[in-house]
Amino acid sequence: MDVEEYTRALAAANRYGWAFLAAYGSTWLVAAMAWAKAGARTAAIVTLFQGMVALPVALALTLLTPGPPPPHDAALESLSVTVATSQLLGLPVVIFLVLSRRYTLVPLGLVILLVVHFAPYSWLYGTPLYLVLGATIALAAALVSHRAEREGGPGPIVGAHRTCLSTGLLMLSGAAVALAL
C-alpha cells in the first residue's frame, strides 16, 4: 500500500476524524460553560483538562462508527501517532499560564496548539477541511478576544468564554462536514 492509498483508507476508516471533532467540540463547549458559570481559575483548569475527557470519547465513537477497517502500515501508523500527540509538546506553556494565574489566556494558548495540530490532518486525510477549520478557529478566537477587550468590563473572561464557545461550535460544524465527506 502506498502513502496515497493509506491516507485514503485512513480517511474512510475514521470518517475524516469526525468523532474527534465532535468529542473535542463538545468539551470545548463544556469549557465555555465553565467560563460563563465558574471562576476564572476553575474555568481555566476545565479548559486545560477538557481533552482528557474528549480523547476516550473520541476513540469510543471512532470504534462504534461503521466503516472499513483502518489500514495498517507501521511507518505511517507511527507518523499518525506522532501527529496526534504533537500538541502535547506545547502543554507546558499552557500549564505555565495556569500556574502564573494568567487564566484568561489558557483558551487562546490551547487554540494555538489546536490549529497548528490541525494542519497535518489535511494531508493525512487528504482534505482541506482541517486547514480551513484551523484558520477559521484561529480567526474566530482572535476576533472574539479582540472584541471582548474593546467592550471593557470583564473583557478577558468574556473573551475566554467566547473563544471556547466559538471553538466548540466550529469543531462541531467541522464534525458535520467530515461526516458528509
Side-chain angles (χ1 to χ4, degrees):
M1 173 179 292
D2 69 12
V3 172
E4 191 173 316
E5 291 170 328
Y6 178 87
T7 58
R8 274 196 308 268
L10 184 65
N14 291 333
R15 304 282 304 265
Y16 295 93
W18 85 272
F20 287 85
L21 292 170
Y24 281 87
S26 298
T27 58
W28 274 94
L29 292 180
V30 169
M33 286 191 297
W35 282 101
K37 305 282 185 194
R41 181 177 183 268
T42 299
I45 291 169
V46 168
T47 305
L48 176 62
F49 289 107
Q50 52 85 21
M52 292 180 67
V53 174
L55 180 59
V57 170
L59 292 171
L61 286 172
T62 299
L63 288 173
L64 295 172
T65 302
H72 294 289
D73 180 296
L76 292 173
E77 287 171 16
S78 176
L79 175 63
S80 292
V81 169
T82 301
V83 167
T85 59
S86 64
Q87 67 185 348
L88 296 175
L89 296 173
L91 282 181
V93 173
V94 180
I95 292 168
F96 167 75
L97 293 173
V98 172
L99 293 175
S100 63
R101 297 184 175 145
R102 295 180 181 128
Y103 303 127
T104 58
L105 293 177
V106 168
L108 286 174
L110 286 174
V111 160
I112 292 167
L113 293 178
L114 174 70
V115 301
V116 169
H117 172 75
F118 271 5
Y121 282 98
S122 281
W123 172 80
L124 194 60
Y125 289 139
T127 175
L129 171 64
Y130 287 90
L131 289 175
V132 170
L133 191 55
T136 305
I137 289 171
L139 186 58
L143 290 173
V144 299
S145 295
H146 175 70
R147 181 166 180 173
E149 281 184 0
R150 287 185 48 207
E151 290 172 358
I157 290 175
V158 170
H161 165 72
R162 290 177 184 168
T163 295
C164 292
L165 182 62
S166 63
T167 300
L169 292 173
L170 288 166
M171 288 184 76
L172 288 173
S173 299
V177 170
L179 275 174
L181 291 175

